[in-house]
């Protein structure tokens, strides 16, 4: 059987590898001039920096770990929650360094209160009027047992507002409370800083037929097979695995003929596609402490900006800092030109480390939401989304079209391992 896989990201690679290993003829059509999709390892600043997916979220039971080991990629644990007390340096809006213990207590209070609310320990679930995270915070339930309101604590403020929005890649208003089915694998967050995800993906794709720079514009299908109309001519096959991201499917730029079933279109429309952008800055030397994994800044700008920094010096010894923006913060910075964004970064670093902070000597920046082949960063559970929407999105059509990609995974959506598993699932559907 001949199968065309659209997309050379992790889901496409997993589908193609599985089908090729089972003896089928497989061609991967990739719109970009590179492999990786929403993983993109950039080495132009020196170290391998992943501008898209960069952490293995939970190595235990994670299908990527044995592959990453075989590929020779290496990773280092990142302590987002300051478990060891010295991994996060936190700063107030004016640049004052916050007390680490107090700050960490605020983080723990948020995580603890959320666990109580969403878990089975305490039956404190809000009623049906609580749809979004904004609604949830409005109930005051999160701080109900506190003598001093948690929301006055800096670590609580940072986690509930800034960290939540950039991790979920969406605003508090759009983020659904309580209906997501995301499962976090155990073992913490591990930055793939040796070789990056490119090394892992290259290992999976070895020997496969990949046609880069081949954007699919339309997919025609009937009982006899599929024909894909691309910028480089038409391609026909017995079946097709579509791994185009949720944002691409939502945009309507990839046409299906006949149109996809209405139930699938509705599901695709209801799932949230988030925004999450990075800027990596290389400085002439390391002027900040090497020990912390993260620098957290509590900006008083609306929306809060320059709040989340990854200290590459800790991980690789290079004079590089990566600043992150998610949700409304990413949308805001995407309107800024490079010069203004960098100036804002440097101004913030000056507040934290003093007036002698130099300008960066080079940088790389992402615009995932403006990229025609991603149109966003990763999916999230949006207000109005219905249980089963991801399964509906994943369903094959006419035994000819098969769907993979992070957004189709019921539990590991928004991740690289979720994408990988979804590709294997789609390939197995074809293999019967
Ligand atoms: C900034 C950012 C940070 C992230 N951080 C993490 C993290 O730390 N850990 C983690 O696990 N996950 C993270 N993620 C999510 C993770 O990167 C994605 O879930 C995963 O890479 C998605 O893989 P995929 O195969 O589903 O989609 P993609 O990687 O997007 O692959 C789809 C492919 O299809 C191609 N394509 C699209 N349309 C067409 C077309 N019309 N014709 C031909 N080709 C087309 C695209 O170019 C792309 O290569 C992050 C993502 C972003 C953007």
């Amino acid at each position: 059987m001949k199968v065309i896989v659209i997309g050379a990201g992790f889901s496409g690679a997993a589908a193609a590898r599985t089908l090729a290993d089972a003896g089928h003829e497989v061609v991967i059509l990739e719109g970009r001039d590179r492999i990786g999709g929403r993983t993109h390892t950039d080495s132009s600043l020196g170290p391998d920096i992943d501008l898209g997916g960069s952490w293995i979220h939970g190595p235990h039971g994670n299908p990527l770990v044995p592959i990453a080991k075989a590929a020779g990629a290496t990773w280092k644990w990142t302590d987002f929650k300051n478990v060891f007390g010295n991994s996060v340096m936190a700063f107030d809006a004016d640049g004052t360094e916050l007390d680490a213990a107090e700050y960490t207590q605020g983080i723990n209070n948020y995580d603890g209160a959320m666990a109580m609310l969403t878990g089975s320990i305490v039956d404190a679930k809000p009623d049906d009027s609580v749809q979004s995270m904004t609604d949830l915070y409005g109930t005051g339930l999160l701080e109900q047992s506190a003598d001093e309101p948690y929301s006055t604590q800096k670590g609580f403020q940072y986690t509930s507002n800034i960290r939540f929005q950039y991790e979920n890649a969406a605003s508090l208003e759009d983020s659904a409370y309580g209906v997501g089915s995301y499962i976090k694998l155990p073992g913490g967050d591990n930055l793939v800083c040796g070789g990056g995800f490119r090394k892992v993906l290259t290992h999976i794709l070895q020997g496969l037929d990949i046609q880069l720079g081949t954007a699919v514009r339309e997919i025609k299908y009937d009982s006899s097979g599929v024909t894909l109309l691309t910028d480089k001519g038409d391609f026909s096959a017995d079946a097709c695995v579509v791994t185009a991201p949720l944002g691409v499917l939502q945009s309507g730029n990839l046409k299906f003929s006949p149109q996809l079933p209405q139930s699938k279109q509705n599901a695709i429309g209801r799932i949230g596609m988030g925004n999450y952008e990075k800027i990596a800055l290389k400085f002439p030397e390391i002027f900040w402490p090497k020990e912390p994994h993260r620098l957290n800044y509590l900006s008083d700008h609306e929306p809060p900006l320059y709040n989340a920094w990854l200290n590459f010096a800790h991980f690789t010894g290079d004079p590089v800092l990566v600043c992150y923006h998610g949700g409304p913060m990413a949308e805001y910075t995407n309107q800024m030109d490079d010069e203004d964004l960098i100036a804002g970064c440097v101004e913030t670093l000056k507040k934290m480390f003093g007036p002698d902070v130099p300008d960066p000597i080079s940088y790389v920046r992402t615009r995932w939401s403006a990229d025609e082949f991603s149109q966003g960063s990763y999916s999230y559970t949006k207000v109005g989304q219905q249980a089963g929407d991801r399964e509906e999105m994943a369903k094959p059509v006419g035994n000819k079209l098969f769907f993979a990609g992070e957004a189709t995974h019921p539990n590991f959506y928004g991740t690289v391992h979720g994408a990988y598993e979804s590709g294997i699932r789609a390939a197995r559907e074809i293999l019967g």
Side-chain angles (χ1 to χ4, degrees):
M1 192 201 279
K2 180 174 178 185
V3 182
I4 292 177
V5 174
I6 302 178
F10 268 83
S11 59
R17 178 84 276 153
T18 309
L19 291 163
D21 287 353
H24 293 288
E25 187 188 345
V26 182
V27 180
I28 303 177
L29 301 183
E30 167 54 54
R32 291 184 173 105
D33 290 328
R34 62 166 180 82
I35 61 166
R38 282 170 283 162
T39 59
H40 182 199
T41 309
D42 181 285
S43 307
S44 64
L45 303 187
D48 300 318
I49 302 176
D50 270 308
L51 299 175
S54 53
W55 279 276
I56 290 180
H57 289 308
H60 299 304
N62 192 317
L64 294 177
V65 166
I67 304 168
K69 282 186 180 163
T74 56
W75 51 90
K76 284 190 180 165
W77 179 62
T78 312
D79 179 5
F80 282 80
K81 298 186 177 178
N82 211 21
V83 176
F84 284 105
N86 56 0
S87 320
V88 177
M89 247 181 123
F91 300 86
D92 215 343
D94 63 1
T96 311
E97 190 181 342
L98 297 167
D99 178 81
E102 249 175 55
Y103 181 80
T104 308
Q105 187 56 49
I107 300 178
N108 293 341
N109 287 342
Y110 176 81
D111 288 343
M114 281 299 284
M116 296 266 276
L117 212 50
T118 53
S120 53
I121 313 165
V122 166
D123 186 17
K125 284 201 177 134
D127 62 35
D128 286 347
S129 68
V130 178
Q131 305 266 316
S132 69
M133 292 303 290
T134 311
D135 296 341
L136 175 70
Y137 293 169
T139 64
L141 277 170
L142 274 187
E143 35 187 342
Q144 64 181 353
S145 60
D147 297 335
E148 173 204 0
Y150 289 154
S151 53
T152 60
Q153 300 170 356
K154 300 287 180 182
F156 187 95
Q157 286 169 8
Y158 186 89
T159 315
S160 61
N161 186 27
I162 295 165
R163 197 184 90 195
F164 183 91
Q165 294 191 79
Y166 80 74
E167 281 184 357
N168 212 37
S171 69
L172 297 170
E173 292 78 28
D174 286 340
S175 301
Y177 166 72
V179 297
S181 49
Y182 181 76
I183 293 176
K184 183 148 193 184
L185 288 172
D189 306 295
N190 294 271
L191 186 73
V192 190
C193 47
F197 272 114
R198 179 183 52 212
K199 196 160 194 172
V200 186
L201 187 65
T202 305
H203 187 81
I204 302 170
L205 287 170
Q206 274 175 82
L208 294 173
D209 179 358
I210 309 165
Q211 314 265 330
L212 295 177
T214 310
V216 179
R217 302 298 174 195
E218 186 170 352
I219 303 173
K220 294 185 168 175
Y221 62 100
D222 60 25
S223 56
S224 64
V226 295
T227 301
L228 278 62
L229 279 50
T230 82
D231 296 351
K232 293 189 176 166
D234 298 354
F235 291 76
S236 293
D238 300 302
C240 172
V241 179
V242 182
T243 79
L246 176 68
V248 172
L249 295 177
Q250 287 176 336
S251 75
N253 288 348
L254 178 56
K255 304 247 174 318
F256 291 86
S257 182
Q259 285 195 355
L260 293 175
Q262 195 58 48
S263 54
K264 191 185 275 290
Q265 290 186 44
N266 293 345
I268 287 170
R270 280 190 295 258
I271 305 171
M273 186 61 172
N275 281 317
Y276 181 13
E277 308 287 0
K278 303 183 183 181
I279 180 165
L281 304 165
K282 181 175 185 174
F283 291 91
E285 75 272 321
I286 300 168
F287 57 81
W288 61 92
K290 277 178 88 171
E291 193 176 40
H293 304 187
R294 313 267 311 173
L295 308 174
N296 291 354
Y297 173 71
L298 270 141
S299 147
D300 53 7
H301 190 273
E302 190 45 51
L305 300 178
Y306 318 113
N307 324 280
W309 299 78
L310 183 70
N311 182 7
F312 244 75
H314 170 84
F315 295 96
T316 65
D318 292 279
V320 171
L321 290 168
V322 185
C323 184
Y324 300 75
H325 290 99
M329 307 172 249
E331 281 157 34
Y332 189 94
T333 55
N334 276 340
Q335 306 305 317
M336 296 169 77
D337 61 25
D338 295 2
E339 214 172 274
D340 288 346
L341 183 60
I342 292 168
C345 288
V346 171
E347 197 187 311
T348 306
L349 290 170
K350 282 185 175 165
K351 285 186 188 164
M352 299 193 246
F353 299 110
D356 296 334
V357 166
D359 284 336
I361 48 177
S362 48
Y363 72 96
V364 275
R365 153 182 206 185
T366 65
R367 283 187 190 275
W368 292 105
S369 64
D371 185 324
E372 71 162 306
F373 296 114
S374 53
Q375 310 213 26
S377 56
Y378 47 83
S379 65
Y380 68 96
T381 308
K382 190 176 178 180
V383 172
Q385 191 176 318
Q386 294 177 8
D389 277 349
R390 291 181 190 276
E391 289 84 347
E392 176 61 38
M393 185 182 165
K395 266 188 202 159
V397 176
N399 213 27
K400 295 293 167 201
L401 301 186
F402 296 82
F403 290 82
E406 56 84 12
T408 67
H409 200 293
N411 308 118
F412 299 155
Y413 50 86
T415 67
V416 181
H417 58 279
Y420 179 82
E421 280 202 349
S422 75
I424 295 193
R425 188 252 316 133
R428 285 184 181 154
E429 286 165 356
I430 293 176
L431 296 172

